Amino acid sequence: MKKLILLALVGINCYALSSSESKEVTQGVRSAMEQSVKCWNAGDLECFMKGYINSPKTLFISGDKFIYGWQSSYDHYKQKYGNDKKGMGQLQIKIDGIEALDEQHAFLYGHWKLQAESKEYAGVTSLLFKKNDNKWQIMVDHSN
C-alpha cells in the first residue's frame, strides 16, 4: 500500500513540472549518480560521500539497519569497505528510473552490483535526492 501511495505521489508531482524542468532535474540527478560511481570506483570514499547531504538528517537504510547522519554513514562505509580501491572494488549502477518530484527533489531507483576483492554483491536501491547548494545530493539511501 505504501508503495502504491508513493507511486501515486510521484506520478502526480511529475505533472507539476514542465518537461524541460523535469528533464533538467533528471539530467542533474543522473550526473550526480555517475559522479558517485566514479568516486567509488576510484577508491575515494571522501569524494563518494560528497554525493550525500552532510547532515545529521541524512538516512542510509540497508538490511535491517537505519543509519542516521552523514558521519555515521561515512563511518559505516569506511568500516565495511575501507578507503581504497581494493576494498571498495568496482560498483555498477543500472538506473531503472528517475522521477522529478519538484524542482528540488527527485527519486531514483535501480539495481546495483559491487565486485569487491573476491566477493560479489548485488541488490536494488532507491534514493531520494535533494538539490542542496546547487548540487544534487542524496538525503535518503535505501539499498538492499
Side-chain angles (χ1 to χ4, degrees):
M1 183 65 169
K2 289 180 184 179
K3 288 181 184 179
L4 184 59
I5 292 169
L6 177 61
L7 289 174
L9 289 173
V10 167
I12 291 167
N13 282 323
C14 285
Y15 292 105
L17 295 176
S18 71
S19 72
S20 65
E21 289 170 327
S22 182
K23 186 176 180 180
E24 185 179 320
V25 169
T26 300
Q27 288 174 338
V29 169
R30 183 178 300 280
S31 176
M33 192 74 249
E34 289 169 354
Q35 181 61 35
S36 288
V37 171
K38 283 181 188 177
C39 291
W40 184 275
N41 290 340
D44 189 342
L45 184 58
E46 286 77 18
C47 177
F48 173 77
M49 288 301 295
K50 288 179 183 175
Y52 290 80
I53 295 174
N54 192 342
S55 164
K57 293 183 179 180
T58 297
L59 176 60
F60 176 67
I61 306 165
S62 182
D64 64 350
K65 296 178 186 157
F66 290 85
I67 300 171
Y68 294 94
W70 183 93
Q71 186 63 53
S72 296
S73 296
Y74 174 86
D75 294 344
H76 169 80
Y77 279 123
K78 189 166 186 174
Q79 180 182 14
K80 188 166 183 174
Y81 300 105
N83 193 20
D84 61 31
K85 255 183 130 164
K86 184 179 178 191
M88 292 174 71
Q90 291 295 299
L91 176 65
Q92 298 174 358
I93 300 283
K94 178 185 175 283
I95 298 172
D96 292 313
I98 301 173
E99 301 294 336
L101 303 176
D102 59 32
E103 292 177 343
Q104 299 295 314
H105 299 89
F107 179 70
L108 178 149
Y109 54 96
H111 291 81
W112 59 270
K113 186 176 179 181
L114 177 64
Q115 180 74 41
E117 297 184 14
S118 62
K119 298 177 185 171
E120 188 170 300
Y121 308 91
V124 295
T125 189
S126 57
L127 306 168
L128 183 58
F129 280 81
K130 180 179 181 183
K131 196 168 190 180
N132 186 47
D133 293 331
N134 213 27
K135 296 182 295 190
W136 285 101
Q137 293 178 294
I138 299 165
M139 60 187 291
V140 179
D141 178 341
H142 185 190
S143 297
N144 280 316

